[in-house]
Amino acid sequence: MDYLQIEGGKQLSGSVTISGAKNAALPIIAATLLSDKPITLTNLPNVVDIRTLLKLLTMLGGSVEHNQTTAQIDNSTITSTKAVYEIVSQMRASILVLGPLLARFGECEVSLPGGCAIGQRPIDLHLKALESMGAVIEIKGGYVHAMAPKGLKGAKIIFDKITVGGTENILMAAALAHGTTTIINAAKEPEIVQLCEMLQSAGVTISGVGTSELTIEGTDQTPLSFEDIAIIPDRIEAGTYLCAAAITHSSIDLERVNPAHIRATIDKLEFMGCTFEIEAERMTIHAPKRLKPVNLTTTEYPGFPTDMQAQLMAVSVMTHGESMIEERLFENRFMHVSELNRLGADIWLKGNIAAVKGVEALYGADVMATDLRASSALVLAALVAKGTTNVHRIYHLDRGYDNLEGKLLALGASIQRKQEAH
Ligand code: UD1
């Protein structure tokens, strides 16, 4: 197993190029199942989660040629519609194959993803919506068995909660359904917008793209022909590098970024005293010596993303004053708190609210990564902690950050990947 060894206290400078968005690429890869023609995806992030989903496609019989940031996928040869536990248990987002497999083949089996470190994460809303589209669903032996032998029917879906994955699954299912589907209370994340654009490029009529009400005209099980697609920049990776600059009081440039997608993070960092120069696809952040504390509540896009909560908390640890951070999306997304406290942070947790008292300094220690974004928060804290911090269990980081240590090293951080002795 690998760990990261970081010597804190280095200022960062220079520029970092943002990779493609993992959370945009995953539904797009799943959506390729709606087609029986080859498609090329570019600007994929080179991360484990992408390789996991591509492996699932090959296990279903698809043909995949993957080369770091590009994948050629041909799903004309699918022979199985079973997404096995071995893959789904590695990555919950594998549930995204449920909608497209069911819509194209009329039946599928997908392992139940189960809970994960950040919370229970049920898929009840995905299943209920598919049932309203005529699917017959049974849970047996840890698998979701879904059947719609005559195809799915368009329906009016009202999500009780805004769900990113649920909206994506239903969008994909609706694209091949018979008739019109309306999704009310849909998620509006940029990743959803790109999925809609991909479906539109294949001739699917969708209205309301980027709003909370989507209307999709299905093709009645006619497979789609997609145009090749370049994945949008990763807004969470971009936000993480902005936080790296903020916590180290540095100025850095971000290249290949979409500033409009990270408005909520920019706003918080501006409030804390950072300044920005923003162009169409690049931006510069200048961070002051003294950061101000901040209050934030995570919410759905375009609000402050839960996937940036841990990183912003790491930055707030080094401010002069008290910050309040409220997590509204996931019940257990504060596991970085005790690890940040091991580095000398002063964070008090009550329910879904963290009160952060700024400290003068953090001190290097051994800490353990618990989930993807929590891991990046520990790396950020380590960049300013005095002495050496070892961040263990970084396989979480490898799931979602493309070459994190290489990019931080190029910005001037002292960071090394090492192997655990045992
Ligand atoms: C996606 C992102 C994840 C991000 C999250 C929220 C991907 C691959 N992952 O996850 O990084 O943190 O959005 O922005 O894009 N819920 C239910 N029932 C359901 C579905 C969801 O109760 O059937 C709840 C969840 O437990 C959670 C909330 O709804 O409390 C939002 O979850 P959701 O938007 O579905 O998250 P994911 O799509 O899993």
Side-chain angles (χ1 to χ4, degrees):
M1 226 192 276
D2 292 350
Y3 68 99
L4 287 176
Q5 188 164 79
I6 299 165
E7 300 289 332
K10 298 272 189 294
Q11 272 235 304
L12 304 184
S13 63
S15 82
V16 57
T17 301
I18 301 305
S19 297
K22 167 181 87 71
N23 287 354
L26 292 172
I28 282 172
I29 292 170
T32 65
L33 285 164
L34 298 169
S35 173
D36 56 0
K37 306 265 179 351
I39 173 172
T40 301
L41 309 180
T42 54
N43 201 35
L44 289 168
N46 191 9
V47 297
V48 171
D49 273 8
I50 298 299
R51 294 196 279 280
T52 304
L53 193 57
L54 291 174
K55 182 171 170 205
L56 175 58
L57 290 191
T58 57
M59 287 171 81
L60 298 176
S63 118
V64 175
E65 271 182 56
H66 180 214
N67 176 15
Q68 301 204 0
T69 58
T70 303
Q72 281 154 318
I73 301 171
D74 182 351
N75 285 328
S76 61
T77 51
I78 296 288
T79 47
S80 160
T81 55
K82 181 167 181 173
V84 293
Y85 175 74
E86 179 197 341
I87 296 284
V88 184
S89 59
Q90 282 174 40
M91 186 186 63
R92 299 190 82 264
S94 316
I95 195 68
L96 291 171
V97 301
L98 177 64
L101 279 178
L102 180 61
R104 179 159 158 219
F105 300 102
E107 59 90 30
C108 67
E109 282 177 71
V110 179
S111 174
L112 274 172
C116 76
I118 63 172
Q120 213 187 17
R121 301 186 83 174
I123 55 160
D124 55 315
L125 302 174
H126 304 227
L127 301 185
K128 197 170 147 226
L130 288 172
E131 279 174 339
S132 358
M133 298 176 76
V136 176
I137 291 179
E138 241 189 319
I139 310 283
K140 239 185 1 206
Y143 278 78
V144 177
H145 292 241
M147 274 160 300
K150 293 193 187 124
L152 292 166
K153 295 188 304 281
K156 182 172 167 182
I157 313 284
I158 305 177
F159 279 124
D160 290 345
K161 254 190 194 175
I162 300 176
T163 159
V164 172
T167 304
E168 290 165 345
N169 244 331
I170 300 312
L171 263 168
M172 293 185 277
L176 256 57
H178 175 70
T180 307
T181 299
T182 308
I183 308 177
I184 294 166
N185 206 23
K188 296 185 284 205
E189 271 68 2
E191 295 77 20
I192 305 258
V193 171
Q194 190 169 38
L195 178 62
C196 288
E197 287 169 356
M198 177 194 191
L199 296 170
Q200 286 174 318
S201 81
V204 179
T205 304
I206 305 179
S207 60
V209 175
T211 75
S212 55
E213 186 167 329
L214 296 166
T215 304
I216 307 110
E217 307 293 337
T219 66
D220 205 3
Q221 272 189 305
T222 307
L224 306 178
S225 295
F226 292 117
E227 286 172 13
D228 294 346
I229 186 162
I231 306 299
I232 56 170
D234 194 315
R235 61 195 169 98
I236 306 302
E237 188 196 23
T240 304
Y241 285 103
L242 293 180
C243 288
I247 202 167
T248 57
H249 315 295
S250 305
S251 294
I252 64 167
D253 302 320
L254 270 53
E255 307 285 347
R256 252 201 264 155
V257 61
N258 186 333
H261 291 171
I262 45 177
R263 204 54 251 180
T265 302
I266 292 173
D267 278 358
K268 291 298 171 193
L269 290 170
E270 249 169 4
F271 181 84
M272 295 171 91
C274 298
T275 56
F276 293 87
E277 291 159 47
I278 296 178
E279 292 169 35
E281 287 184 5
R282 62 181 305 283
M283 61 193 298
T284 305
I285 174 172
H286 304 283
K289 280 268 167 299
R290 283 174 78 93
L291 289 163
K292 280 193 284 187
V294 70
N295 292 338
L296 69 88
T297 300
T298 63
T299 176
E300 294 85 2
Y301 189 83
F304 190 87
T306 175
D307 286 352
M308 280 302 302
Q309 178 256 107
Q311 301 89 315
L312 231 291
M313 185 184 295
V315 180
S316 72
V317 162
M318 297 304 293
T319 60
H320 292 253
E322 281 186 36
S323 302
M324 292 287 257
I325 298 182
E326 183 183 7
E327 172 58 51
R328 286 249 183 104
L329 270 83
F330 293 109
E331 66 267 26
N332 195 22
R333 206 168 199 178
F334 275 140
M335 279 176 313
H336 41 285
V337 167
S338 50
E339 299 300 295
L340 288 171
N341 283 346
R342 283 176 59 74
L343 294 170
D346 184 356
I347 308 170
W348 184 80
L349 206 53
K350 179 130 184 124
N352 66 336
I353 297 182
V356 184
K357 216 185 233 172
V359 294
E360 284 301 319
L362 294 174
Y363 297 92
D366 284 279
V367 288
M368 202 172 279
T370 47
D371 69 69
L372 174 56
R373 307 306 170 184
S375 319
S376 62
L378 299 179
V379 171
L380 294 175
L383 293 176
V384 284
K386 292 188 192 302
T388 308
T389 300
N390 296 315
V391 183
H392 300 278
R393 298 205 182 169
I394 54 159
Y395 52 84
H396 292 291
L397 280 173
D398 293 335
R399 287 188 43 202
Y401 282 94
D402 187 347
N403 189 22
L404 180 73
E405 75 268 22
K407 290 185 183 186
L408 283 173
L409 199 63
L411 289 170
S414 168
I415 180 167
Q416 264 186 300
R417 180 179 284 255
K418 296 199 156 190
Q419 281 215 317
E420 303 281 3
H422 47 85

